[in-house]
C-alpha cells in the first residue's frame, strides 16, 4: 500500500485544472469560465471534515491564483466565489474527471497556425497587407479533435470585435442544400442581433441588405431563415415574389450571388468574420461551389473573412466529390487567388497523452501516471476522443477512482490492461456505455439519433411524448427533463446556446461518434419502425413555424427510410404528397438533385391507377420531377416524366405547360435548337398561332408589320396597358420569346415576324413578363434593319418603362431586356460613355435575378465600351483578366471567347505580345489553336474579323484590309449581329483603310467601298447618333484627300481630332493625328507640321497605353523623334494646330 505525506496530498490536489480551451459559444464565454472557477473552489470547500482549514485554504488560494492568471492572460475577468453553495457530497468535483478543463496538449503548433491566420485577417486593413481571402483546411480522422482545435478561434475573434459562426454538415441531411453554410450564417446573424458591437453595425447591415440584395433577398431568406429577423421585410417580399416567380436554372445563381452580397455587406461592417464549416465530407455540391466562389470571386475578395473547412481525411479519397474541390483550392492558391493554409490533425503522442492524464488526475507524479498513459496510448493510439471515452469508462467501472482518504487517484495497471483488451474500439465502447443507461435515457438517445446532428428539443420531446401516448403529463415531463439533464451532464448531448427569443432550444451531439453509436443500438426492424413513428409524429406539427426550415425534410427522410411495404395505399399516397411538398421546397432553393430524389420517391409510392384516381398528385410529381432531372442533366428520366404528362388525354392544355417548358429548355441547353424550334412551332400551331414557311410570305408579312409599327409608333403608350391575365397567352408569350433566340441561332428568316407577334399580343391582350423583351426586340429591328435610331430608342424606353412596372424579378428577365436596350438601342442615340454605369448596374441586377449569362454579357459590353471610349489599356487589361476568370469559372463560353479576343488585341497594342507582328491576333489570351477554333464559329469569326481589321487599320496594312473587306462584304458585321454597337467603329476604320488603299493603288473598287462606309456614318449622324461626329469628319478628310482637295482634307482632319479629343476618345485622336501627319508629310510636304502631328499621335498612343503603336511610329519615322519638344497638355487635349491657322477656327 502506497503512503503519501500530508504535504504531498496538498501538492496532489492543489493542481486544480484551469480552463485552457475556449468555450463553445460566443454567449457562454463568461458564464462557462466563471462556472469553472466557482465549481472548482466550491468543491474543495465542500470536502471531508478531516481536511484541515489550512489545507482547504491552500487549495482554494492556489486554484484561484491559477484561474485568475489564466483568465487575465485571455482578457476575461474571473468572478471570485464569495460563499459555499452546498455541503452535498454529490456536488464535489474533486473526485470527478473534468474533461472540459483539460487543455489542448500536443496541439500548440496547430493553435499557433490558426491564431496567425486570424491575426492576418484581422489586420487586412493595415497598410501593405494583401487584400485576399483566406481559407484554412483542417483535416484528420474522426475523434482527432479538429472541431475543438478550431473552437480556439472563437474567443480571440470576439476579443477583436469580430463574429464567429460555425455550421456543421450532416450525412442524414445531405439532401438539404447549403445546410452547413446556412447554420454558420445563422449563428453569425444571431450574434449580430443579440450583441452590442462597437458602432452598432446591425443598423447599417440591415439597411444595405434591404437596398442591395433586392430580388435576391427572398430566396436567400429561404436558405437562411434568420435573415427574416435581420430584415423583416424579406418575409413580405418572399410572399409577393412566390406569386410571380418561376422555378428556373437562374435560382441557383441567384442564391449564390445573394450569399456573396451578404458576405460583402457583413465584412464591410464587422471584422473579422470567421465562418467554420465542419464535416465538409458531407457537404452538398452547392455548398462546395459556394465555398469556391467565396474564395475565388474575381470581382470581390473578402480579406476580412476567414473560412475554416474541417473534414475527415480518411473518408475523402480520389472518388469523393470533395477531393476535386480540394485540388482546385490547391491550384487556385498557387495562382495567388487567395491564401490557403492547411492544418493536419494527427493522433497525439505519448507525451501529450501523459499530460492530459496528469491534468485530469491533478497530479505531477510522473512515475505513477506514465504507466497509465502508456496503456491508454497503446489502446487509443492517441485519438483524443477515444482516449477521453476510455478514461471515462475506467472511471465509470471504478477501475480509476478517487480515494478521499489519501486525496489521490488510484488504479491497478494490470486490471486496466485487462479491460483495455476487452474494448474493441470507440464505437463499441460508446454502445456498451449507452446500454448501461436507464431505459428512458437510452430511448432519448435512439430517437435523437434519427433527427440528425442538430435538432430542436421540442421535436425530440414531441416524438417521445407521442410514443408514450401522453399529452401534458406531468410525470412524462419530469422523466424527460431529468433524463435530458443527465445526458447533458454525461456529455452525450450539448445544448446549442443562441440568442434570446428561440421557442425551443437546440441540441447537438457532443461528437459524431455518439450519434453513430446511438443509431446502432436498435435492430434494423426496430430502427425502421422508429423512423416511421418519428416521421409521422413530426408531421403532426406545423411546418411553417420552424426556424431552420428543415423539419419537413427530416420528417420526409425518416418516412422514406421506413418500411414502405407495410404501408397501406392511403398512407403511401399521403407520403407521396409529402414528397411532392419536399420537392417543391427543395427546388425553390435550387436543390435540383434533392428535388429529383423526392419526386422519384413520390412517384414510386403512387398506386397503379394513379393517373385515373390521383391525377392532381401524379401530374405535379411528374412535372416537378421532370424539371428537377432536367436541371440536373438526367435527360432520359426527364423525357420519361414529360411524356407521361403529355400522354394524358382529355386534360386541360395548361396542365402540360410546365413539361413543355422543361423539354424546350433542355433541348436548347443540349444544342438541339432545331428540335426545340419545331416543338415550339408545333405547340403554337395547335393553338392557332401560325407562321408562314415561304420566303415570299415571310417577306410580305415582315414589311407589313414594319409599316404598322412605324405608323403607330408614337401612339403606343405602354403606361396604358393592362396586365395580361390569360394563362395560355402568357405561356405562348414565353414561347415566342424563346423562339426568337432559337431562330437567331439557326438563322431562321421568320425571327422578325415572331418579334412583331409578341408586340402585337402585348398591345392587344396586355403586358406580361415577356412584354418588355418584345418592345426591345422590335426596337432592334427598327434600329438594325431600318436605321430608325430614334424609333428604336423609343421602343427601348417603352421596354424599360414596362420593366419598371413589372419589377426586376427573375421571371421577367430584366438583365436580358436591359442588355438589348442599353447595348443594342441606346448605344445608337446616347454617348457610349454614359452607358457604362447603367451596364454595371444591369450586371448587378443580373446577378441578383440569376441571369448569369446576361449579367456577364453586360460585363463583356462594359469592357468593350471601355475599350471603344479610350480607357487606359493597362487598367483595361487588368479588368479583362479579372472578368475572364469569372467567366471561365462560370463556364460562360460566349462572353469568355469574345473577351479573350478583345484582350488579345489589347495585349498586342500594349506591346506584351507579338511586338514584331502586332497584327497577329494570337498570344497569351488567344492561342493559335483557339484562334483557329474561333474562326469555325460564325459569331466568333465575326468578332475575330473585327479585331483583325482594327489592328490592320491601326498599323497601316490598309490594302490587305480593303481586300479582305471586299471578299467579306461591307455589311458582314451587321448580318452577324443586328444593331451591334461596333458597327460605327467598324465602318469608320474600314472606310479609312479603303480610302488609303484607293490612294496608294489608284483602284476605284476600294474608293467605292470606302464611300459606302462613309455614307453609313453620315446616315447615322443624321439619324441622331452622337458617337460618330468625329468619324464623319475623318472620312470626309479621307475623301477629300482621295479627291485631291488637300486643304479641305486638312480642315476635316483637324475637326475630327478636335471632336475625338474633346470626347476623351484618345485612341481615335491618335489614329486621326497619325493620318494627318502622314498626309502632311507625303502630300502637303510640310515637314514641320507633319513631324508635329506624328509626335502628337505618339503622345496620344502613349497616353492610351498603346506602346506597340509608339514603337511602330518610331520605326516608321525615326527622324521625327530625334529632336522632340514638350507639348502643352491643352494642345494634347484640344488637338490644336501647331501653326496659327484659320483651318481650325
Amino acid at each position: 500500500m502506497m503512503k503519501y505525506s500530508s504535504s504531498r496530498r496538498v501538492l496532489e490536489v492543489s493542481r486544480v485544472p484551469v480552463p485552457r480551451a475556449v468555450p463553445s459559444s460566443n454567449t457562454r464565454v463568461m458564464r462557462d469560465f466563471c462556472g469553472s472557477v466557482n465549481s472548482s473552489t466550491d468543491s474543495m470547500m465542500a470536502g471531508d471534515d478531516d481536511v484541515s482549514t489550512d489545507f482547504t485554504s491552500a487549495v482554494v488560494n492556489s486554484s484561484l491564483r491559477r484561474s485568475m492568471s489564466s483568465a487575465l492572460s485571455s482578457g476575461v475577468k474571473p468572478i471570485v466565489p464569495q460563499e459555499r453553495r452546498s455541503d452535498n457530497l454529490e456536488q464535489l468535483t474533486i473526485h470527478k474527471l473534468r474533461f472540459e478543463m483539460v487543455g489542448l496538449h500536443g496541439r500548440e503548433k496547430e493553435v499557433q497556425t490558426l491564431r496567425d491566420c486570424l491575426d492576418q485577417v484581422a489586420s487586412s486593413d493595415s497598410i501593405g497587407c494583401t487584400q485576399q481571402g483566406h481559407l484554412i483546411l483542417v483535416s484528420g480522422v474522426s475523434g482527432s479533435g479538429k472541431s475543438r482545435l478550431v473552437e480556439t478561434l472563437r474567443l480571440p475573434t470576439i476579443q477583436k470585435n469580430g463574429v464567429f459562426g460555425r455550421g456543421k454538415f450532416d450525412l442524414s441531411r445531405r439532401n438539404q442544400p447549403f445546410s452547413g453554410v446556412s447554420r454558420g450564417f445563422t449563428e453569425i446573424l444571431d450574434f449580430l442581433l443579440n450583441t452590442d458591437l462597437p458602432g452598432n453595425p446591425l443598423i447599417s447591415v440591415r439597411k444595405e441588405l434591404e437596398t442591395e440584395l433586392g430580388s435576391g433577398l427572398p430566396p436567400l431568406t429561404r436558405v437562411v431563415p434568420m435573415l427574416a429577423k435581420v430584415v423583416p421585410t424579406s418575409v413580405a417580399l418572399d410572399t409577393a415574389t412566390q406569386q410571380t416567380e418561376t422555378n428556373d436554372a437562374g435560382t441557383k445563381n441567384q442564391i449564390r450571388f445573394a450569399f456573396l452580397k451578404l458576405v460583402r455587406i457583413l465584412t464591410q461592417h464587422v471584422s473579422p468574420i470567421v465562418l467554420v464549416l465542419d464535416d465538409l465530407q458531407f457537404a452538398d455540391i452547392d455548398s462546395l461551389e459556394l465555398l469556391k466562389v467565396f474564395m475565388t470571386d474575381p470581382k470581390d475578395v473578402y480579406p476580412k473573412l476567414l473560412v475554416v473547412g474541417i473534414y475527415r481525411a480518411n473518408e475523402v479519397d480520389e472518388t469523393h466529390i470533395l477531393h476535386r474541390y480540394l485540388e482546385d483550392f490547391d491550384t487556385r492558391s498557387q495562382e495567388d487567388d487567395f491564401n490557403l493554409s492547411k492544418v493536419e490533425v494527427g493522433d497525439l503522442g505519448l507525451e501529450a497523452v501523459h499530460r492530459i492524464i496528469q491534468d485530469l488526475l491533478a497530479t505531477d507524479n510522473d512515475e505513477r501516471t506514465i504507466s497509465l498513459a502508456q496503456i491508454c496510448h497503446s489502446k487509443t493510439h492517441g485519438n483524443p476522443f477515444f482516449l477521453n471515452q476510455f478514461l471515462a469508462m475506467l472511471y465509470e467501472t471504478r477501475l480509476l477512482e478517487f480515494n478521499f482518504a489519501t486525496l489521490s487517484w488510484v488504479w491497478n495497471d494490470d486490471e486496466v490492461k485487462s479491460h483495455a483488451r476487452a474494448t474493441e474500439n470507440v464505437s463499441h465502447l460508446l454502445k456498451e456505455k449507452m446500454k448501461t443507461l436507464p431505459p428512458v435515457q437510452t430511448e432519448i438517445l435512439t430517437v435523437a439519433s434519427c433527427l440528425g446532428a442538430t435538432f430542436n428539443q421540442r421535436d425530440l420531446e414531441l416524438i417521445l411524448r407521442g410514443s408514450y401516448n401522453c399529452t401534458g403529463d406531468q410525470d412524462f415531463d419530469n422523466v424527460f427533463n431529468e433524463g435530458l439533464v443527465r445526458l447533458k451532464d454525461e456529455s452525450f448531448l450539448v445544448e446549442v446556446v443562441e440568442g434570446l427569443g428561440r421557442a425551443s432550444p437546440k441540441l447537438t451531439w457532443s461528437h459524431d461518434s455518439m450519434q453513430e453509436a446511438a443509431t446502432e443500438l436498435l435492430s434494423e426492424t426496430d430502427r425502421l419502425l422508429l423512423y416511421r413513428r418519428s416521421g409521422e409524429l413530426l408531421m403532426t406539427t406545423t411546418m411553417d413555424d420552424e426556424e431552420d426550415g428543415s423539419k419537413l425534410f427530416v420528417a420526409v427522410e425518416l418516412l422514406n427510410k421506413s418500411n414502405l411495404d407495410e404501408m397501406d395505399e392511403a398512407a403511401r399516397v399521403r407520403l407521396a404528397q409529402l414528397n411532392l411538398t419536399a420537392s417543391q421546397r427543395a427546388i425553390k432553393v435550387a436543390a435540383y438533385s434533392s428535388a429529383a430524389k423526392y419526386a422519384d420517391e413520390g412517384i414510386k409510392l403512387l398506386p397503379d391507377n394513379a393517373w385515373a384516381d390521383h391525377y392532381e398528385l401524379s401530374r405535379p410529381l411528374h412535372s416537378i420531377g421532370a424539371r428537377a432531372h432536367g436541371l440536373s442533366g438526367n435527360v432520359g428520366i426527364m423525357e420519361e416524366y414529360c411524356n407521361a404528362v403529355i400522354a394524358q388525354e382529355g386534360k386541360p392544355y395548361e396542365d402540360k405547360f410546365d413539361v413543355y417548358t422543361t423539354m424546350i429548355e433542355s433541348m436548347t441547353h443540349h444544342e438541339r435548337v432545331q428540335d426545340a424550334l419545331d416543338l415550339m412551332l408545333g405547340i403554337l400551331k395547335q393553338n392557332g398561332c401560325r407562321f408562314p414557311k415561304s420566303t415570299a410570305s415571310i417577306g410580305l408579312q415582315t414589311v407589313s408589320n414594319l409599316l404598322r409599327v412605324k405608323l403607330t409608333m408614337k401612339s403606343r403608350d405602354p403606361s396604358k396597358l393592362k396586365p395580361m391575365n390569360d394563362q395560355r397567352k402568357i405561356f405562348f408569350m414565353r414561347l415566342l420569346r424563346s423562339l426568337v433566340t432559337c431562330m437567331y441561332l439557326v438563322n431562321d428568316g421568320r425571327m422578325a415576324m415572331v418579334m412583331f407577334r409578341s408586340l402585337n399580343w402585348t398591345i392587344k391582350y396586355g403586358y406580361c413578363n415577356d412584354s418588355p423583351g418584345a418592345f426591345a426586340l422590335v426596337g432592334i429591328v427598327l434600329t438594325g434593319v431600318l436605321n430608325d435610331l430614334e424609333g428604336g430608342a423609343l421602343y427601348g424606353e417603352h421596354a424599360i418603362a414596362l420593366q419598371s412596372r413589372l419589377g426586376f424579378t427573375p421571371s421577367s428577365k430584366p438583365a436580358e431586356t436591359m442588355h438589348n436596350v442599353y447595348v443594342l438601342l441606346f448605344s445608337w442615340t446616347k454617348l457610349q460613355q454614359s452607358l457604362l454605369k447603367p451596364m454595371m448596374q444591369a450586371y448587378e441586377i443580373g446577378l441578383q435575378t440569376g441571369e448569369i449569362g446576361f449579367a456577364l454579357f453586360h460585363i463583356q459590353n462594359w469592357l468593350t465600351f471601355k475599350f471603344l471610349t479610350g480607357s487606359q489599356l493597362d487598367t483595361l487589361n487588368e479588368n479583362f483578366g479579372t472578368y475572364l476568370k469569372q467567366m471561365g469559372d462560370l463556364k460562360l463560353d460566349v462572353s469568355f471567347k469574345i473577351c479573350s479576343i478583345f484582350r488579345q488585341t489589347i495585349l498586342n497594342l500594349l506591346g506584351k505580345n507579338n511586338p514584331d507582328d502586332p497584327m497577329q491576333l494570337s498570344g497569351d489570351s488567344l492561342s493559335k489553336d483557339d484562334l483557329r477554333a474561333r474562326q469555325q464559329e460564325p459569331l466568333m469569326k465575326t468578332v475575330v474579323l473585327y479585331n483583325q481589321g482594327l489592328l490592320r487599320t491601326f498599323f497601316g496594312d490598309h490594302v490587305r484590309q480593303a481586300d479582305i473587306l471586299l471578299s467579306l462584304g461591307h455589311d458582314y458585321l451587321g448580318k452577324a449581329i443586328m444593331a451591334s454597337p461596333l458597327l460605327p467603329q467598324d465602318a469608320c476604320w474600314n472606310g479609312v483603310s479603303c480610302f488609303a488603299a484607293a490612294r496608294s493603288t489608284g483602284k476605284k473598287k476600294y474608293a467605292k467601298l470606302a464611300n459606302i462606309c462613309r455614307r453609313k456614318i453620315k446616315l447615322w449622324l443624321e439619324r441622331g447618333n452622337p458617337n460618330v461626329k468625329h468619324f464623319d469628319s475623318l472620312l470626309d478628310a479621307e475623301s477629300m484627300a482621295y479627291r485631291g482637295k488637300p486643304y479641305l482634307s486638312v480642315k476635316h482632319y483637324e475637326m475630327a481630332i478636335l471632336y475625338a479629343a474633346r470626347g476623351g476618345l484618345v485612341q481615335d485622336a491618335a489614329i486621326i493625328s497619325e493620318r494627318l501627319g502622314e498626309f502632311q508629310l507625303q502630300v502637303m510636304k510640310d515637314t514641320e507640321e507633319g513631324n508635329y502631328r506624328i509626335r502628337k499621335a505618339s503622345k496620344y498612343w502613349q497616353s492610351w497605353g498603346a506602346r506597340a503603336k509608339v514603337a511602330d511610329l518610331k520605326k516608321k519615322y525615326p527622324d521625327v523623334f530625334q529632336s522632340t519638344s514638350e507639348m502643352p497638355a491643352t494642345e494634347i487635349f484640344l488637338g490644336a494646330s501647331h501653326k496659327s491657322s484659320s483651318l481650325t477656327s
Side-chain angles (χ1 to χ4, degrees), residues 363-374:
T363 181
D364 290 324
N365 192 331
D366 292 348
E367 294 180 2
R368 293 200 64 235
T369 53
I370 188 62
S371 60
L372 179 60
Q374 289 170 342

Side-chain angles (χ1 to χ4, degrees), residues 23 31 52 190 352 367 393 426 501 514 523 565 582 616 678 747 761 856 901-902 976 983 989-990 1000 1070 1083 1085 1102:
R31 188 194 69 190
S52 68
D190 182 74
E367 294 180 2
M393 179 271 294
V426 69
M514 296 283 191
S523 66
D565 294 335
E616 292 303 324
D678 294 340
N747 197 24
W761 279 12
L856 270 296
I901 296 168
F902 272 95
L983 282 168
W989 305 137
N990 285 333
S1000 64
V1083 177
K1085 306 301 181 182
Q1102 185 69 43

Side-chain angles (χ1 to χ4, degrees), residues 467-755:
S467 302
Y468 287 102
N469 295 319
C470 57
T471 56
D473 188 288
Q474 187 66 37
D475 291 338
F476 172 82
D477 292 340
N478 292 336
V479 171
F480 173 76
N481 291 328
E482 183 180 347
L484 198 57
V485 168
R486 290 288 185 180
L487 291 173
K488 293 177 186 176
D489 289 342
E490 295 294 329
S491 298
F492 286 101
L493 297 174
V494 179
E495 184 173 330
V496 179
V497 180
E498 292 180 329
L500 301 175
R502 179 174 286 278
S504 170
K506 283 204 164 189
L507 300 171
T508 188
W509 296 88
S510 61
H511 196 273
D512 297 337
S513 300
M514 296 283 191
Q515 182 186 1
E516 295 165 7
T519 304
E520 296 174 4
L521 287 177
L522 294 175
S523 66
E524 181 67 18
T525 302
D526 290 341
R527 192 179 304 128
L528 294 177
L529 288 173
L530 178 59
Y531 288 158
R532 180 174 179 180
R533 187 181 72 215
S534 301
E536 289 174 345
L537 288 168
L538 283 176
M539 293 311 302
T540 61
T541 60
T542 305
M543 292 291 126
D544 296 333
D545 64 352
E546 53 186 309
E547 295 183 14
D548 61 1
S550 62
K551 186 186 293 184
L552 171 68
F553 295 111
V554 173
V556 174
E557 286 287 340
L558 288 171
L559 290 169
N560 285 343
K561 289 192 295 185
S562 65
N563 193 341
L564 302 179
D565 294 335
E566 295 184 358
M567 290 186 181
D568 58 23
E569 182 174 313
R572 292 170 68 90
V573 169
R574 286 196 300 272
L575 181 53
Q577 180 66 58
L578 290 175
N579 275 282
L580 171 61
T581 305
S583 183
Q584 291 169 335
R585 191 170 289 192
I587 211 167
K588 278 186 178 180
V589 294
Y592 304 128
S593 59
S594 299
K597 291 175 183 176
Y598 290 125
D600 290 344
E601 289 292 336
I603 291 171
K604 289 177 186 176
L605 290 162
L606 293 173
D608 295 336
N609 59 347
W611 283 109
D613 296 347
H614 304 284
Y615 175 78
E616 292 303 324
L617 175 59
S618 299
R619 181 190 60 80
L621 269 174
H622 283 80
S623 296
I624 200 168
R627 185 158 192 79
H629 278 293
L631 291 168
S632 301
N634 305 320
V635 179
I637 302 176
M638 178 212 74
E639 291 179 344
E640 177 188 341
Y641 288 172
C642 286
N643 291 332
V645 176
I646 294 170
Q648 304 308 309
E649 298 179 355
K651 300 298 181 182
Y653 201 79
E654 290 84 346
D655 288 355
K656 302 176 183 180
F657 287 170
D658 287 343
V659 294
Y660 278 135
T661 300
T662 297
M663 293 179 72
I664 291 165
E665 290 179 356
S666 176
M667 290 174 180
T668 305
H669 179 72
H670 291 91
E671 300 183 355
R672 295 169 53 194
V673 179
Q674 190 60 53
D675 290 341
L677 185 64
D678 294 340
L679 176 59
M680 286 186 282
L681 289 172
I683 294 170
L684 290 168
K685 183 178 179 180
Q686 290 177 18
N687 290 273
C689 180
R690 295 178 172 84
F691 295 96
K693 293 184 178 180
S694 69
T695 305
S697 297
I698 293 171
L700 184 63
Q701 289 195 28
T702 300
V703 172
S704 173
N705 278 294
L706 276 171
L707 291 174
R708 187 185 310 162
V709 168
K710 288 281 289 183
L711 291 172
T712 60
M713 182 186 306
K714 294 185 179 180
S715 62
R716 290 179 170 173
D717 184 359
S719 65
K720 297 179 180 179
L721 294 175
K722 296 181 179 180
M724 186 182 292
N725 296 316
D726 187 334
Q727 291 302 314
R728 281 199 172 205
K729 288 291 189 295
I730 291 173
F731 173 68
F732 296 146
M733 282 287 289
R734 197 185 312 156
L735 289 187
L736 292 175
R737 189 169 189 169
S738 299
L739 262 180
V740 171
T741 302
C742 291
M743 287 180 168
Y744 172 77
L745 293 173
V746 300
N747 197 24
D748 192 307
R750 293 171 288 184
M751 183 175 71
M753 293 180 58
V754 176
M755 296 177 180

Side-chain angles (χ1 to χ4, degrees), residues 869-888:
T869 55
S871 290
Q872 217 281 333
L873 289 181
D874 286 294
T875 302
L876 197 52
N877 179 44
E878 293 177 2
N879 294 150
F880 267 95
T882 296
Y883 288 108
L884 272 169
K885 189 173 295 183
Q886 185 179 27
M887 294 169 188

Side-chain angles (χ1 to χ4, degrees), residues 1123-1134:
S1123 175
T1124 60
S1125 58
E1126 290 298 321
M1127 188 185 309
T1130 52
E1131 290 190 16
I1132 297 178
F1133 179 71
L1134 295 175

